[in-house]
Amino acid sequence: MRRLIAQLARFGVVGAVGFVVDTVIFNVLRATVLSPDDVHSGPFWAKVISTVVAIFVNWMGNRYWTFRDQRRSVATREGVEFVIVSLGGMVISLGCLAVSHYVLGLTSALADNVSGNVIGLLLGTAFRFWLYKAWVYHPERSTTAEPVDAPREPATTEVSEVSGQ
C-alpha cells in the first residue's frame, strides 16, 4: 500500500508539472495566435497543442520517475502506448471544453479553463493513471520490474557504487 501511495504521489507531482505546462501554453495560445476572436476553433486547437506538449513532459516524468521500476527497456513501444492512453485523456479534456464552449456557449477564458483544465483534466487524469498502471507500466510487461511478492536481495557494494546509491 505504501508503494502505491508513493507512486500516486510521484504521479501527482509529474501531473502538476504537466498541468502547469498545459495551462500556460493553452492560455498563451488562446490569448494570442489562437484567440477565439480571430480563430473560431482557436480554444480547441490551443488545447490540442498544449496537451501534446504536456504529454511529452508527462511521459518523461512518468517513465524516469513515477514508473521507473516498471518501464520497459524498449522505449518506443512504451512511448506509443503512453501516447495512445494520453490521447484518450486529451479526448476527455477536449470533450469537456467542446461541451462548455460550443454547446453551452460558455466562451470566456475562465469557462474554457474550468472545463478543459479542471474538469477535463481531473477526469482525464483518473483515466490515464488507471491505464498507465494497468497497461503501459504493468509490472508483468516490464523487463526491469521485480515481482511485488519476491523478496529483495541486498545490493552488493559493486552494484551500489555503479548505480550511485
Side-chain angles (χ1 to χ4, degrees):
M1 184 58 132
R2 283 187 291 180
R3 183 177 178 170
L4 178 63
I5 291 169
Q7 192 174 52
L8 194 53
R10 288 190 303 269
F11 183 78
V13 170
V14 170
V17 171
F19 172 77
V20 169
V21 168
D22 191 349
T23 303
V24 167
I25 292 173
F26 172 75
N27 283 294
V28 166
L29 291 173
R30 190 188 183 287
T32 59
V33 296
L34 293 174
S35 168
D37 298 333
D38 299 329
V39 181
H40 176 69
S41 59
F44 180 86
W45 291 111
K47 189 65 183 160
V48 168
I49 293 167
S50 68
T51 302
V52 167
V53 174
I55 286 171
F56 178 75
V57 170
N58 288 342
W59 180 52
M60 297 305 287
N62 283 314
R63 175 172 171 72
Y64 293 104
W65 191 41
T66 305
F67 298 106
R68 69 181 175 262
D69 296 333
Q70 288 118 353
R71 72 175 185 244
R72 285 177 267 154
S73 58
V74 179
T76 306
R77 183 171 176 174
E78 178 185 286
V80 168
E81 291 172 356
F82 188 92
V83 168
I84 289 168
V85 171
S86 296
L87 291 176
M90 181 175 76
V91 167
I92 292 169
S93 288
L94 288 172
C96 292
L97 176 63
V99 167
S100 172
H101 193 93
Y102 301 107
V103 176
L104 300 177
L106 304 171
T107 59
S108 71
L110 177 62
D112 285 350
N113 275 285
V114 169
S115 62
N117 292 328
V118 176
I119 298 168
L121 194 66
L122 287 173
L123 295 173
T125 297
F127 169 82
R128 285 189 305 268
F129 182 77
W130 172 66
L131 278 176
Y132 292 156
K133 186 122 179 88
W135 181 44
V136 178
Y137 295 109
H138 192 279
E140 291 177 8
R141 300 184 75 210
S142 84
T143 57
T144 60
E146 297 177 10
V148 176
D149 298 329
R152 293 183 179 213
E153 299 202 22
T156 64
T157 310
E158 293 176 69
V159 172
S160 297
E161 289 176 22
V162 170
S163 66
Q165 295 176 344

